[in-house]
Amino acid sequence: LIMRRQARNFFCLHATRCSPLSRSFKACSTEAIRDEIDLPKAHPPYRRYYDNQEYTKANIKQRNSKGDVDELISLLDHQKTVMDKGRNLRQERNLIKGKTSKARKLQDQDELAALMARGKEIKDQLKTIERDEAEAAAKALLCALEFPNDTHPDVPIGEEKNAKVVREVGTKPEKGKN
C-alpha cells in the first residue's frame, strides 16, 4: 500500500514537471525518474560469494549467466586494501588533531606548523582515497549484479521435460472453447 501510494505520488509530481506534450509515463526521461524515486541500493551477498566460490561458479554455469567470480574476488580484495588505507589515514588524521590542540595549548609553533602541513597532506590523500573507495565499490557492485539468483536444489537441471509436476491447481481449459 505504501509503495502504491509513493508511486502514485511520484507519477502526479512527475507528470506536472514534464511538458504538456509528454505527460505519458513512457515519454519522460529516465534521469527525471531516477531523480524523483529514491530507490534502495542493491546489497549483493559479497561474503557468501567470497566464502562459497565453487558453489557460485557452479550456479552461474547452471543458470547460463555471465558473472565472473574470480573478477569479483579480485575487486573485493582491491576494495578492502583501499578501505584499509583510508581507515589508516583517518586514524592518523584524528591523532594529528589531538596533537595539534596540545601544540596550540603549549604554543609550540614549529610542531604546530609541521602537524598542520601533515594534516593538509592527509586531507589531499583522503580525497583521492575516498574517490578510489567509491570507484572500487561501484565496480564490485556492477560485477556482482551480473550474478544470477541461487537455484533451489529441487529445481531440475536441463530442459523442461526433466521437470516433474508437484501439483495442479484448477481445471485445464478445453481446447477450442473460450
Side-chain angles (χ1 to χ4, degrees):
L1 180 64
I2 293 172
M3 291 180 70
R4 277 194 230 147
R5 189 176 306 141
Q6 288 174 344
R8 185 176 62 235
N9 291 343
F10 161 74
F11 186 71
C12 293
L13 287 172
H14 189 64
T16 59
R17 293 183 186 174
C18 292
S19 68
L21 298 175
S22 66
R23 295 272 171 146
S24 71
F25 188 72
K26 292 182 181 179
C28 298
S29 69
T30 56
E31 289 81 18
I33 293 171
R34 270 189 241 122
D35 291 343
E36 292 292 331
I37 295 180
D38 200 17
L39 296 174
K41 292 183 180 179
H43 296 285
Y46 293 124
R47 174 59 53 196
R48 189 178 62 189
Y49 295 152
Y50 201 91
D51 293 342
N52 303 316
Q53 294 178 30
E54 294 305 317
Y55 171 78
T56 305
K57 287 178 184 178
N59 189 46
I60 289 171
K61 185 178 179 183
Q62 179 180 342
R63 301 284 304 263
N64 295 325
S65 189
K66 60 179 182 173
D68 187 2
V69 177
D70 297 327
E71 181 184 356
L72 178 66
I73 298 305
S74 68
L75 288 171
L76 290 174
D77 289 340
H78 173 68
Q79 182 182 9
K80 185 181 182 313
T81 58
V82 170
M83 290 175 72
D84 288 343
K85 286 179 188 176
R87 187 179 318 109
N88 292 338
L89 281 174
R90 288 180 192 96
Q91 286 175 348
E92 185 179 353
R93 179 192 61 192
N94 293 340
L95 289 173
I96 287 176
K97 281 183 182 179
K99 290 179 182 179
T100 303
S101 65
K102 287 179 185 177
R104 281 196 179 124
K105 287 179 184 176
L106 298 174
Q107 296 181 351
D108 187 0
Q109 297 301 324
D110 295 334
E111 185 178 353
L112 183 62
L115 290 171
M116 296 288 278
R118 180 62 186 145
K120 288 181 182 180
E121 290 174 14
I122 290 175
K123 183 178 179 180
D124 294 337
Q125 290 175 352
L126 274 175
K127 283 182 183 178
T128 59
I129 290 288
E130 287 172 352
R131 190 175 341 115
D132 292 345
E133 285 177 350
E135 184 179 316
K139 285 182 180 178
L141 178 65
L142 286 176
C143 184
L145 288 177
E146 292 180 353
F147 289 16
N149 293 337
D150 286 342
T151 307
H152 193 274
D154 292 343
V155 173
I157 298 172
E159 298 178 13
E160 192 173 338
K161 65 182 178 183
N162 296 341
K164 65 177 182 178
V165 176
V166 176
R167 71 174 181 213
E168 291 183 12
V169 178
T171 59
K172 290 185 179 181
E174 295 180 26
K175 293 183 180 180
K177 291 186 178 182
N178 288 335

